[in-house]
Amino acid sequence: MAILKIARMGHPVLSRRAEEVAEPTAAEIKALVATMIETMREEDGLGLAAPQVHVPKRVVVFFAPRAGAEEPEAELNALVNPVVEPVGDEKVEDWEGCLSVPGLRGLVPRYRRVRYRGVTPEGAPVDRVVEGLHARVVQHECDHLDGILYPMRMTDLSKLYFESELRHLKLGEREEVTVL
Ligand code: NI
C-alpha cells in the first residue's frame, strides 16, 4: 500500500461529479479503500473521498462517532455509491477543514440529521439515520462526490479563517476542528 497524493482546491477532479461504481465489491475498489484509509490516517483526516486522491469514483471513507457510545470512540466506515438525504430541515453550524483546502477552516451550516445509504466494499447494504458530527462528516464527504467543497456551502465567508488564526476565536466546547 501507499500514501496517495491529495488533490487540492482548483484541481478539476474536485469539481466534477464522480462516477457510480458498477461493481462495489471489485478487488480494485477494496484496494482503493485500503489506500484511502491509509492516506486518511497518515494525513490525520476524519474522512476522505476518492476524488481527493484523483480517483473520480463514488467512494468515501470516514471515521464517525459510535452512536450512543459514552466514549468518543470512532467507527471506521467505507461506503460505495453513497446517497445522503436530510431528515428534517434543521441546520447547525460548526467549523470544518478539508485535506483539499489545507490551512483553512470555515464555519459551515449542515443538516443536523441525515439518512445515508450505500454499500460497503464487502457488499453489505448500509442504511442509517445519524446526527451531529456523524451527519456532518457524511455530508462533507458526499459533497466531494458532487464536486462541492465546504467553502461552497458557507453562508458567511467572513468565517473562513487560516488555521493559525483560529486561536482568536472561541471554538466552544470542542478544542479541535475536524478535518474532513
Ligand atoms: Ni474534504
Side-chain angles (χ1 to χ4, degrees):
M1 290 197 284
I3 306 298
L4 302 169
K5 189 181 175 197
I6 307 272
R8 302 200 296 178
M9 183 164 62
H11 193 292
V13 75
L14 292 175
S15 57
R16 70 193 231 207
R17 188 180 186 279
E19 291 171 7
E20 264 80 17
V21 175
E23 268 188 79
T25 57
E28 65 168 304
I29 297 302
K30 289 191 178 75
L32 171 64
V33 163
T35 50
M36 283 173 62
I37 288 170
E38 193 178 10
T39 302
M40 175 174 67
R41 289 186 190 278
E42 174 71 18
E43 303 289 342
D44 286 327
L46 200 62
L48 192 66
Q52 291 184 275
V53 291
H54 305 84
V55 178
K57 295 183 193 297
R58 302 186 83 78
V59 177
V60 299
V61 298
F62 57 94
F63 287 104
R66 216 178 277 275
E70 290 184 10
E71 297 290 313
E73 184 184 3
E75 169 192 26
L76 178 58
N77 296 271
L79 269 187
V80 182
N81 298 334
V83 176
V84 187
E85 58 184 303
V87 176
D89 51 15
E90 186 186 358
K91 287 191 173 182
V92 286
E93 290 190 321
D94 204 351
W95 293 87
E96 293 183 16
C98 180
L99 294 174
S100 295
V101 191
L104 295 176
R105 300 289 183 266
L107 192 63
V108 187
R110 300 280 186 189
Y111 289 105
R112 179 187 291 280
R113 300 184 81 204
V114 297
R115 177 185 186 186
Y116 69 91
R117 284 169 284 183
V119 61
T120 70
E122 291 73 40
V126 174
D127 186 347
R128 304 176 77 174
V129 174
V130 299
E131 59 182 38
L133 180 59
H134 191 157
R136 177 171 296 274
V137 172
V138 170
Q139 288 170 85
H140 178 117
E141 298 313 329
C142 290
D143 265 356
H144 276 299
L145 306 181
D146 292 328
I148 298 168
L149 299 175
Y150 79 79
M152 298 159 69
R153 293 291 191 193
M154 293 179 65
T155 51
D156 180 358
L157 284 175
S158 75
K159 297 296 193 296
L160 186 62
Y161 277 55
F162 280 103
E163 184 181 13
S164 54
E165 305 299 334
L166 275 181
R167 58 195 162 83
H168 297 299
L169 279 180
K170 286 187 178 174
L171 282 177
E173 293 181 2
R174 195 178 312 149
E175 290 183 359
E176 293 207 10
V177 177
T178 44
V179 180
L180 306 161

